Each structure stands twice: as C-alpha cells, then as structure tokens.
Amino acid sequence: MGEIDKVAWILIEDGRVLSTRSVGKDVWYLPGGKREPGETDVETLRREIDEELSVEVDVPGAVHLGTFTAQAHGHTTGITVRMTCYRADYRGQLRPASEIAEMAWLGYADRHRTSPVDQIIFDHLLAEGLLT
C-alpha cells in the first residue's frame, strides 16, 4: 500500500539508546525523521537531528547500522516504515526542540514503549551487544 522513508540516529551510552517523544504522543521513537525530496541519508540525518535535538551530527563519521521495516505506528494496515539507521558522534548539547516534548535513554526493558520498527531495532541492538 505504501512505505514511509525515514532515517534514524542511533546514539548509545552505557547500554541505553537515546529516544524521543513527540508532543501529544505516548510512544517513544528513535530521533530522526522523513527524508525530503532529493536528500541523501546523511543530509536527512543532519537536518532532522538539528531540528529535533539542537546538535550537529558528525556526518563524515556516520556509520550505517542497518535498515529495518515494520508496520508504521498509527497508520492503517499495509503502510510500512523503512528506517535507515546511522551511528554518529555529535557536537553541541542535546536539547529537545521543535515537536520533541522530551528525550530519554532507554534500555531493552523499555522496548514495549516504542514503535514497532523501533522494537525491531531494539532487538538488533541487543543481539549486537549494544543495548542492555
């Protein structure tokens, strides 16, 4: 039926991954967002993370972690989201901005609080020994 193309930032500290909650939502999402026409993965990553968390991602050092697909949260059955994930360092101080109400460091025990595609990513991070 349709696919939503998103790019996400995977920032891990002490076995936890940075997640965000948008204003008016009760589900947590990995930071990032939808690609604009003509944007590359890293251009999307840089723009979205600056808009959402007020920091500058180290684009040259960005490393592709994987691409994951699942039913899109809050959409009708058949609409999927394809999440292309990157790890990267950053400059600045993390601060929720734009539509982001709050940010938190989530561990695997928080998996149930996230969107379906993020749950798949949490499983991957756990299997890779990156998440506790």
Side-chain angles (χ1 to χ4, degrees):
M1 290 185 72
E3 183 176 75
I4 300 167
D5 180 22
K6 296 180 97 176
V7 178
W9 186 33
I10 307 295
L11 182 62
I12 297 173
E13 288 188 10
D14 301 322
R16 297 185 177 279
V17 64
L18 183 65
S19 292
T20 57
R21 187 182 61 77
S22 296
V23 173
K25 304 284 184 179
D26 60 357
V27 172
W28 291 82
Y29 299 91
L30 294 168
K34 294 177 187 171
R35 181 188 319 270
E36 302 228 342
E39 278 186 331
T40 65
D41 288 353
V42 293
E43 288 170 341
T44 303
L45 185 69
R46 176 182 20 215
R47 177 183 52 76
E48 285 288 341
I49 299 310
D50 177 54
E51 289 174 6
E52 292 184 355
L53 295 169
S54 308
V55 295
E56 182 181 343
V57 171
D58 175 24
V59 170
V63 176
H64 182 250
L65 181 84
T67 301
F68 307 87
T69 304
Q71 170 64 40
H73 179 257
H75 291 266
T76 59
T77 301
I79 303 293
T80 59
V81 61
R82 180 171 51 97
M83 188 85 78
T84 305
C85 300
Y86 286 86
R87 292 188 75 179
D89 290 331
Y90 68 96
R91 287 177 290 288
Q93 183 173 345
L94 294 167
R95 231 177 38 250
S98 189
E99 76 272 11
I100 303 303
E102 62 181 318
M103 61 183 204
W105 296 95
L106 303 183
Y108 192 75
D110 300 301
R111 178 184 179 274
H112 68 281
R113 300 168 61 195
T114 67
S115 72
V117 73
D118 285 16
Q119 290 179 13
I120 293 169
I121 297 165
F122 270 49
D123 291 344
H124 176 79
L125 295 174
L126 181 71
E128 293 291 314
L130 299 170
L131 201 60
T132 57

